[in-house]
Amino acid sequence: MRTTRPPEVTRPVMYHRWSHMSFIHWRYSPALIQSMLPPGLTVEEFDGSAWVGLTPFLMEDVRVPGAPALPWLSRFPETNVRTYVRDPQGRGGLWFLSLDAGRLLPVLGARAGYRLPYYWSDMSVRAEDGRRAYRCRRRRPGPVGARCDADVELGAPLADVERDELTDFLTERYRLFTVIGGRPAHAEVEHRPWPLHHARLTHLDQDLLQAAGLTVPEDDPILHASPGVRVRVGMWSRLRTPHDRP
């Protein structure tokens, strides 16, 4: 069941491929997550809970329009801590609590261009024989040493009848929110729906969630995995708020 329609980004400012993605999700108190959001954004609930995702993957083929992907700069691991929100117009999207990346220049560019909370980290992604091993140790800015070691085993692909509303809620997200110049902004992200697999977490040693200000998860996580999608990222624009004049 797919309930979200991907947008069309007609003028992308960046192309990516997100490969070897794992989605690791936990329930959280909506009040806790709301307290971490900027004015203008509201936590989005499912089944009475807010949800936080730990999403390690490999970023590939990163380039701007009209330029080739550079072998060293265009390929690096990334691990995000994210939650789900709505803007004043009721549109859903992602709010990032942290983003760790294995290349310094993309970290600096994303912090400057989109004001996203990126961190430079020592990272690796190994994918072979249906197994994935993700490693992350944060360098800077602090808290230095925050980590995520995760091992995931892939299962069979999800059939269409197995894709329930919660699956789409946790994975099919095509808008990110940020704050630029003290005001909320958003950017749209275009890609085909995620081809998903069942997945099993065989090892997890992490404190990225705690470094982002979250409590230690109390329940077992929900997992999905994907071989990846190609992505077109749009330029950010400011959100209209109830205080804006017509």
Side-chain angles (χ1 to χ4, degrees), residues 104-153:
L104 178 58
L105 285 180
V107 166
L108 297 176
R111 277 185 167 266
Y114 283 78
R115 301 297 191 269
L116 293 172
Y118 264 92
Y119 298 86
W120 182 30
S121 300
D122 287 319
M123 305 182 72
S124 65
V125 175
R126 293 179 57 191
E128 55 185 21
D129 299 328
R131 294 181 175 86
R132 293 173 183 166
Y134 307 97
R135 300 293 181 265
C136 172
R137 291 292 186 280
R138 185 172 293 171
R139 288 182 171 184
R140 62 177 63 93
V144 174
R147 70 192 185 283
C148 177
D149 294 346
D151 295 334
V152 176
E153 288 186 356

